[in-house]
Amino acid sequence: MSVTIHPSAIVDDGAQIGEGTHVWHFSHVCAGARIGAGCSLGQNVFVGNDVLIGRGVKIQNNVSVYDAVTLEDEVFCGPSVVFTNVHNPRAAVPRKSEYRRTLVQRGATLGANATIVCGVTVGEYAFVGAGAVVTKDVPAHALMAGVPARRIGWMSRHGERLAFDAAGDARCPATGERYRLDGEQVTFVGAGA
């Protein structure tokens, strides 16, 4: 297995790209970027120097992953997802020393045109709907929508909406996996039986 880089893409010397990763048309990966195996960077993707991307990450067209962003394994970024790294930008005021770190944890989905304001953590297997603007931390498995984004439900690891009963138990409709809701926290309990 090897890395596939389209001839129109620019990958700066020093960038680390894992086996089986594809970098498509007109993309730019900076020298300090670290990208895991089995990823796909769509057309016109930018990856900054201080960026860590895990294994199996899918980044659709027109996404810029700026410095201070970490995408853990199996994160999905829909087309035109927006990341920021400065909380109060001004063209005339240099603020590179004030970047706020953003973490998107394993298995999370960021829908098309979602905006992730810097300094937040998006929890494991969370699902941010298209066009949502995330301004604060997102719990694991949360389904987020709106401007600003608010939780409107819960999602399974398989990407299916969970319906919890009065006791706080739910099963993924696709896999039968079991989940438990305790307050504002969802826990994966185990495989379906």
Side-chain angles (χ1 to χ4, degrees):
M1 197 178 269
S2 63
V3 174
T4 301
I5 300 172
H6 190 272
S8 66
I10 298 169
V11 177
D12 294 341
D13 289 343
Q16 298 175 28
I17 301 177
E19 288 292 313
T21 290
H22 297 270
V23 180
W24 294 111
H25 306 71
F26 313 114
S27 292
H28 181 191
V29 179
C30 292
R34 292 175 291 157
I35 301 171
C39 295
S40 177
L41 279 61
Q43 181 173 302
N44 195 37
V45 168
F46 171 79
V47 180
N49 278 301
D50 182 19
V51 170
L52 176 60
I53 296 174
R55 300 172 57 90
V57 172
K58 307 297 183 209
I59 302 175
Q60 300 295 298
N61 297 352
N62 306 312
V63 176
S64 292
V65 187
Y66 295 119
D67 285 351
V69 173
T70 297
L71 307 177
E72 292 185 347
D73 295 349
E74 299 172 348
V75 165
F76 178 88
C77 295
S80 301
V81 163
V82 175
F83 292 98
T84 67
N85 56 14
V86 176
H87 181 71
N88 56 340
R90 291 286 195 201
V93 180
R95 292 203 164 109
K96 288 187 176 184
S97 64
E98 299 174 23
Y99 286 169
R100 293 185 183 182
R101 302 207 72 79
T102 297
L103 172 62
V104 182
Q105 293 182 322
R106 179 186 182 97
T109 292
L110 308 177
N113 293 303
T115 297
I116 312 301
V117 175
C118 59
V120 302
T121 296
V122 177
E124 289 187 346
Y125 303 104
F127 199 105
V128 177
V133 177
V134 175
T135 60
K136 59 184 179 179
D137 289 351
V138 173
H141 297 280
L143 172 59
M144 306 293 288
V147 179
R150 69 188 196 295
R151 190 186 57 72
I152 62 168
W154 300 101
M155 300 293 277
S156 73
R157 298 189 312 174
H158 194 72
E160 300 289 337
R161 195 153 183 181
L162 295 170
F164 287 93
D165 62 22
D169 295 311
R171 286 186 179 267
C172 173
T175 66
E177 291 178 337
R178 295 175 291 121
Y179 295 84
R180 178 89 180 141
L181 175 64
D182 184 13
E184 287 293 306
Q185 183 176 351
V186 170
T187 306
F188 171 73
V189 176

